[in-house]
Amino acid sequence: MKRASIITITITILLTCTYFFVGNYFYNFAINANTNKDFLVDDPNLKTSNLVNKDREEAEKLADDNFLKQYPSTEKSITSSDKRNLKLHAEVFQNEEPNSKWAIIVHGYAGDIQTTTRWIRNFHENGYNVLAPDLRGHGKSEGDYIGMGWDDRLDIVSWIDEVIKINPDAEIALLGVSMGGATVMNTSGENLPDNVKVIVEDCGFVSTSDIFAYQLNEIFSLPSFPILNAANTITKLRAGYDIFQSPTLNQIANSKTPMLFIHGDQDTFVPFDMLDKAYNAATVEKEKLVIPGAGHSESLKVNPELYWNTVWGFVDKYM
């Protein structure tokens, strides 16, 4: 009996250590903001589509660079509303013509303001003042973890309040790409002021646990159970949130703000079928745009004319 008890205790300890080792590994892999995310570089699901016109893309990149040189931004900072009291950073691009039109442009996973210049530039060229935040754990914002669009939703609410402080009459559009799309979808279900007129999400995921389970299979060919559970235990301990409790679809269902949903039909990084899940959950005025042949975050690059015609056709209805 004594020997059996020792064996049982030893096995329990080994299993527990393995559980926490695995959880910690995948936390550092995906959520720890201070570890390299080099896996994104070689991910075949992020390979550039042949439908992206290389010459046009080079011209657009040059236009982005020239925009940043021609229209220097001003830095803005706020403190997060949660107990972490993080200093959050944003760049503000004021339009030369004073007006009340504002856009908050939200970047994706492992991104920053530089990765959203194309959207910032287009809104600015269309007369908007633009606020571009660094999400917690990204860019110049504090934070040692990635919020996956959930904790970030309350930060966007704070940025909305900051825009209203600058201009109480502000009419605000929210636009987010990839994790930024998830962020604005999660934000949509909060008690937003009437100043927020329209939301555009581009290739956002509708569940943190679903996207992690999908990526576990894609990258490691591993099942979500029990690995995702182990990662969630560490996430709750180190980041303070539960990856199984990010009810994006419920947030969308509670939204009172018109929403446009965009996705490329060849997106294999954030599965294309998440588009209809998000769209069907919305009970507000809504539209969806599917860009044939576009992979992840490529809709704008594959068919910019259709992309912007649809975005402005929707946004202009409510601004």
Side-chain angles (χ1 to χ4, degrees):
M1 288 294 294
K2 187 176 181 180
R3 179 180 174 82
S5 297
I6 292 173
I7 292 173
T8 300
I9 292 170
T10 301
I11 292 173
T12 301
I13 292 172
L14 287 173
L15 289 175
T16 301
C17 290
T18 301
Y19 181 86
F20 279 94
F21 174 82
V22 169
N24 202 58
Y25 174 85
F26 284 103
Y27 176 89
N28 287 329
F29 183 84
I31 297 176
N32 189 337
N34 298 318
T35 56
N36 290 329
K37 300 297 181 281
D38 293 339
F39 66 91
L40 296 172
V41 176
D42 299 321
D43 193 319
N45 292 323
L46 294 174
K47 184 179 179 180
T48 302
S49 167
N50 292 330
L51 296 180
V52 176
N53 185 296
K54 293 182 180 179
D55 292 337
R56 181 174 59 195
E57 184 58 19
E58 286 300 317
E60 289 289 344
K61 288 180 180 178
L62 180 60
D64 290 342
D65 292 340
N66 290 336
F67 169 80
L68 293 176
K69 294 175 183 176
Q70 185 177 355
Y71 298 101
S73 59
T74 57
E75 294 190 349
K76 201 80 177 172
S77 64
I78 59 173
T79 301
S80 66
S81 60
D82 61 5
K83 63 183 180 181
R84 293 177 182 270
N85 294 318
L86 300 174
K87 184 177 181 181
L88 303 175
H89 170 267
E91 300 285 342
V92 178
F93 298 83
Q94 296 271 181
N95 206 275
E96 293 176 332
E97 296 293 329
N99 66 79
S100 297
K101 294 193 297 183
W102 282 82
I104 297 177
I105 308 295
V106 188
H107 66 76
Y109 181 88
D112 56 21
I113 292 165
Q114 297 292 326
T115 60
T116 52
T117 303
R118 191 76 47 88
W119 290 269
I120 294 169
R121 172 167 66 89
N122 203 282
F123 271 84
H124 191 271
E125 289 174 350
N126 279 272
Y128 280 71
N129 306 291
V130 180
L131 185 144
D134 282 329
L135 298 179
R136 56 178 59 199
H138 291 76
K140 296 181 181 179
S141 287
E142 292 181 346
D144 58 6
Y145 71 95
I146 297 173
M148 297 305 294
W150 184 244
D151 279 12
D152 308 291
R153 80 195 193 283
L154 299 180
D155 298 337
I156 298 302
V157 171
S158 295
W159 284 119
I160 291 168
D161 292 340
E162 192 66 20
V163 167
I164 295 172
K165 288 179 185 177
I166 298 171
N167 186 343
D169 297 322
E171 295 184 328
I172 303 170
L174 306 181
L175 183 146
V177 183
S178 191
M179 191 179 80
T183 300
V184 298
M185 286 191 284
N186 286 322
T187 304
S188 74
E190 299 301 309
N191 185 22
L192 301 179
D194 292 338
N195 303 71
V196 180
K197 301 299 182 182
V198 65
I199 296 173
V200 179
E201 78 84 18
D202 184 341
C203 63
F205 49 84
V206 296
S207 164
T208 301
S209 57
D210 285 351
I211 195 63
F212 278 167
Y214 174 80
Q215 292 297 342
L216 266 176
N217 182 61
E218 285 291 303
I219 298 173
F220 298 99
S221 298
L222 291 173
S224 58
F225 180 84
I227 295 170
L228 202 56
N229 303 76
N232 190 48
T233 298
I234 302 301
T235 300
K236 287 193 287 186
L237 290 172
R238 296 179 62 179
Y241 71 90
D242 188 328
I243 62 179
F244 292 106
Q245 296 298 319
S246 56
T248 304
L249 295 178
N250 289 344
Q251 292 290 101
I252 296 170
N254 289 331
S255 175
K256 299 178 182 177
T257 309
M259 300 182 71
L260 170 62
F261 302 86
I262 303 173
H263 222 108
D265 70 358
Q266 296 303 305
D267 191 341
T268 54
F269 189 77
V270 173
F272 174 60
D273 64 4
M274 288 193 176
L275 170 66
D276 280 339
K277 291 178 182 178
Y279 180 82
N280 292 336
T283 58
V284 292
E285 294 182 72
K286 60 185 178 180
E287 289 184 19
K288 66 178 174 179
L289 170 65
V290 176
I291 300 293
H296 188 62
S297 298
E298 283 191 334
S299 293
L300 171 58
K301 298 176 182 179
V302 168
N303 196 333
E305 293 82 9
L306 177 59
Y307 186 95
W308 285 117
N309 286 340
T310 304
V311 168
W312 290 117
F314 189 78
V315 169
D316 287 345
K317 289 180 185 179
Y318 307 102
M319 296 292 291

